[in-house]
Amino acid sequence: MAGPRVVIIGAGVVGAALADEISARGWTEVTVVDQGPLPATGGSSSHAPGLVFQANSSKTMTELARYTVEKLSSLDVDGQPCFLQVGGLEVATTPERVTELHRRQGWLTSWGVESRIVTADECVDLHPLVNRDRVLAGLHIPTDGLAKAVLAVEAQIRRATERGVTFLARHEVLDVLQADGEVTGVRTDQGDLQADIVVCCAGIWGPKIARMAGMNLPLTPLAHQLAWTGPVPALAGQTEEAVRPILRHQDADLYYRDRHDTLGIGYYGHRPMPITADEILSVDEADGMPSVLKFTEDDFADAWTETQSLLPATREAKVEEAINGLFSFTTDGLPLLGESPDVKGFWVAEAVWVTHSAGVGRAVAEWLVDGHCSSFDLHECDVNRFEPHQLSPEYVLARDCQNFVEVYDILHPLQPSGDPRPIRTSPFHARQQELGAFFLEANGWERPHWYEANAHLVEGRSIVTPDDWAARYWSPIVGAEAQATRETVAMYDMTALKRLEVSGRGAADFLERLCTGKVAKSVGSVTYTLLLDHDGGIRSDITVARLAPDLFQVGANGNLDLDWFTRHLPADGTVQVRDITPGTCCIGLWGPLARDVLQPLTDEDFSATGLKYFRAKRAHIGSVPVTAMRLSYVGELGWELYTTADLGQKLWDTLWRAARPLGGIAAGRGAFNTLRLEKGYRSFGTDMTYEHDPYEAGVAFAVKADKEDFVGKAALERRRADVRRKLTCLTIDDPRSVVMGKEPVYDGQRAVGYVTSAAFGHTIGKGIAYAWLPAELAVAGRALHIGYFDRRVEAVVAEEPLFDPAMSRLRG
């Protein structure tokens, strides 16, 4: 036996996959417990229809699904395959859906999955039951198919058992045992099991189990309707279980699958029907499977009418079996993976459907055994990504239900979130409302995208209007605000930026250990630096300002940075980390006239020598005490000005009165994004993630290789000599072709990469797209194409930055 003692709670598709993957990596002192019988335990896996569609806007989710397809395709149980690779077909019955299918086909191409858009006739050829008069086009993915979930569980149980893993059926978990902040085991109704690590893979029961370890999971079990027809005469004689592609009719929230001479019908168009994990019956209490609720026939009426229209052959059949089956939904539609922030050794792998199950099993196994996941970028899935308000019961229920409703909706990348809103408002919110701000949400903050008060600035300017898709949640005012920032001065609300305070006598050494750059410099220094994982991948890019010998302010990207810092705190109490975001606020004052606004308001010297680039100082702006940092994400002279929340509105008013006579404006996130792309500034989570290293991402300048040591240094040195891809700047001459991100990039007919961030550069007069490309193609002047819906957009690799390469405006 090898490895620590591990107890996995739940033997569904996720728990079985994890047991298989972790034992394959040498950890065999593993016990899997489930309250139900094996292999059909009574959870969601036991009734799941098994459709595996790989198309997803998330690269990570597509890759998890692709691995699931590959693994399950290789498994069988006594000759019975665990995956039926019949392909997937998504059909469009409206012009809007046809356009959406082209976008989805672009995602698949970007993420390396074969697919093609097919005509209406080809849809019928692929799935002869489809009504030719109803469909306009389709998206065909040959490698999609049907996962036989219970067989997959059994196959992986057998493999893990052969390596020494123990599976205990009918063991109900009563408690997660712990001492001194660490797990020690699991209490079941049949005795205690000792453990060094406990992994909760309990699916719809996940919140109940996690609560035993003091963990609040933002997961809601919701009922989803699944019906089976009786024999369909047109399918008579079909001996194979499935011969047609799995089918999605997303315009009506429906999907379909074969089962011999019958059809399965899944429906998301009904009202959300949430329950709590505590309301789910136990295996012994339930009449059948506890994850199956009584079918509500009235909710299915529209689905059956639409099915008979799309698949006319079903008019000769009727619904003979039907359930309301429970599945897990989260606030952002993504899984919950990782270790508890409070109880060491308690892990979760939750909100995972069959589609991604084997991929998640591999990802979590790598994470546990190696200390990081090398196969997938998991930053979107980390359970510690949430802000505190995102764990409130009201928020979780509202957003989980919204995600159920929107499962098959056409969602724009900037589409505003639903209720509850607003949640977090900066001290400037009232003033922004007075200026007609158009708000979008950022980590719960209401953040202006543009201001209607600036509509007059559009007059006399040549502002390029993008096509209809890119013009949603956009205004020509965005372009005017960007140009005005370069011409005069603008105030930007930067409050949504995560701010951490690191203090204590060990703070400098602590940050030196985690950061790639030298941060233990003189008081007043500000450093742009990176946080790396142990494999050399970028966990975040941050700014570190030294405000006193033992006090630092960190500009972070989100809650995962706070979690990373907290996990690395020394045990001796010499370092403290706290989130100061809620009690503070920030205005970015940027533009060539920024000094003309600020200097008359203070006795401190804000000249080019009085406060140099990437330096910070304390000052009073009028009557408001601020921390001023001379840095800019838009590539213009200026400062980030921080103060406490109670003084925020006063700071806004003080700067506003001084800026207005000089033509100063308030500007929004839309202008901010185009300006930062003109300067080539990266955005973590979009342009670079855990899977990328600094040399690939173009941020190697933030790495001080002569530092004695930092987390990830050894791995980074190995990666330095093997840079095969690069984050590359592309420009687009066609003014209306403003791509938005995640589109495929082509070299001739060959897909070679994908777009990360994009916008129109209102200063340079061209579209800008950053993209991951093979290193040999990242050569200035190289002509490429970007796949944008159903057309190709010409693009050219450009030297960066596109604006002010000499940095004269920033340093002036």
Side-chain angles (χ1 to χ4, degrees), residues 78 185 604 654:
D78 302 330
E604 293 288 335
T654 301

Side-chain angles (χ1 to χ4, degrees), residues 311-356:
L311 308 175
T314 59
R315 296 170 188 168
E316 300 180 63
K318 59 182 180 180
V319 173
E320 292 193 354
E321 306 171 48
I323 63 171
N324 285 6
L326 293 174
F327 288 93
S328 300
F329 282 80
T330 62
T331 56
D332 56 9
L334 295 165
L336 309 173
L337 312 178
E339 188 179 19
S340 162
D342 302 313
V343 179
K344 185 178 180 181
F346 183 77
W347 289 67
V348 299
E350 287 289 341
V352 182
W353 293 2
V354 174
T355 300
H356 309 101

